[in-house]
Amino acid sequence: MRARWLALGGTTLMIGLSGCYGGLDESSDELAATGTEASDETATSSTDASTSESSTDAGTDTTATTTATTDATTTATTDASTTTDTTTTDTATTDTTDTGGPEGCTADALELVDLVNAYRAENGLPAIPASPSMCTVATTHVHDLADNGPHLQPGGCNLHSWSDQGSWSPCCYTPDHAQAQCMWDKPSELSVYPGYGYENAASGVSSPAQALAAWKSSPPHNEVILNLGIWANHPWQALGADVHQGFSVLWFGEQVDPG
């Protein structure tokens, strides 16, 4: 397992790589950004696009992810989940505004999903369906990060961490991905989704565009989004997202959302 710290402008990024899942090496990226908000320009200059930790088997801790859980966790071996700092509330909160999209996805979530799919289209890739279940997980996590700060616990917890203030299993997600299962299981704990979830997380961002710019600038997180490297054989069938009080996450899944 290895970890890298990067500093871009006011954003600090960390990415860790490790783990194997289902016989496949995966990484989860955690994008945890600290300091001032990362601007789109600043994010683009970042190599590890945020200490976002994407937790998955394949997860890469970018504590600064991530995620796509490279611990995607993102991540993933790269921690496909870019983890960033985020806190969540007990239950997923949804935007009461009629977005015209899947139930459970906020307006910011749908904007970020659209931006991700536009970026994928630019690279010749199919769109990933917006997932009500993954949006529920994403919204719950950014609120938990903002409200309860599980990533601020002692012991090296990063943005893939979850507090004990909700109806989910809590964990201090560390760069060694010892708690990767905590990330992978969140979709089944919080929704009807049947498979694992991989996360990219980031902190210090204030809009969907800033979040995506940060992940695009981080090779491990970018690979999760574009199915590159270790993620080439992981066709995403479900995508959730949200942005809340400086935190942003993407949640990817390989199964179709039955919700």
Side-chain angles (χ1 to χ4, degrees), residues 38-254:
S39 67
D40 287 355
E41 295 180 14
T42 300
T44 25
S45 65
S46 147
T47 30
D48 261 9
S50 134
T51 303
S52 97
E53 198 164 348
S54 67
S55 143
T56 76
D57 202 352
T60 215
D61 185 349
T62 178
T63 183
T65 314
T66 23
T67 152
T69 250
T70 118
D71 251 62
T73 171
T74 134
T75 107
T77 247
T78 324
D79 248 295
S81 133
T82 313
T83 149
T84 68
D85 292 288
T86 7
T87 310
T88 233
T89 58
D90 216 86
T91 55
T93 61
T94 59
D95 195 330
T96 55
T97 303
D98 181 5
T99 61
E103 182 179 353
C105 293
T106 66
D108 280 340
L110 293 177
E111 180 181 348
L112 184 47
V113 168
D114 286 345
L115 288 171
V116 167
N117 282 329
Y119 179 47
R120 285 173 59 85
E122 292 171 5
N123 288 274
L125 297 171
I128 307 171
S131 161
S133 295
M134 290 302 190
C135 280
T136 293
V137 177
T139 297
T140 302
H141 200 200
V142 292
H143 280 263
D144 186 45
L145 289 169
D147 299 341
N148 303 314
H151 58 293
L152 302 177
Q153 302 175 71
C157 309
N158 60 34
L159 293 174
H160 294 312
S161 301
W162 290 75
S163 75
D164 60 359
Q165 300 300 302
S167 58
W168 53 75
S169 59
C171 65
C172 170
Y173 201 104
T174 51
D176 62 2
H177 308 301
Q179 296 294 323
Q181 197 71 43
C182 178
M183 173 191 290
W184 306 333
D185 289 346
K186 284 298 174 288
S188 60
E189 289 181 9
L190 298 170
S191 72
V192 298
Y193 194 73
Y196 280 174
Y198 305 95
E199 177 185 53
N200 271 9
S203 65
V205 296
S206 60
S207 69
Q210 282 190 340
L212 180 59
W215 290 318
K216 287 167 65 175
S217 299
S218 168
H221 298 91
N222 189 58
E223 289 179 357
V224 174
I225 294 171
L226 296 182
N227 291 112
L228 299 173
I230 60 171
W231 302 101
N233 295 319
H234 295 272
W236 303 127
Q237 299 297 324
L239 176 61
D242 211 352
V243 179
H244 179 67
Q245 294 185 6
F247 296 98
S248 184
V249 299
L250 288 175
W251 278 81
F252 299 82
E254 296 180 82

Side-chain angles (χ1 to χ4, degrees), residues 5-47:
W5 283 93
L6 294 175
L8 296 177
T11 300
T12 299
L13 309 173
M14 174 192 156
I15 294 184
L17 309 171
S18 86
C20 56
Y21 159 69
L24 300 174
D25 285 336
E26 298 187 297
S27 61
S28 81
D29 301 321
E30 174 173 56
L31 164 339
T34 59
T36 59
E37 290 184 355
S39 67
D40 287 355
E41 295 180 14
T42 300
T44 25
S45 65
S46 147
T47 30

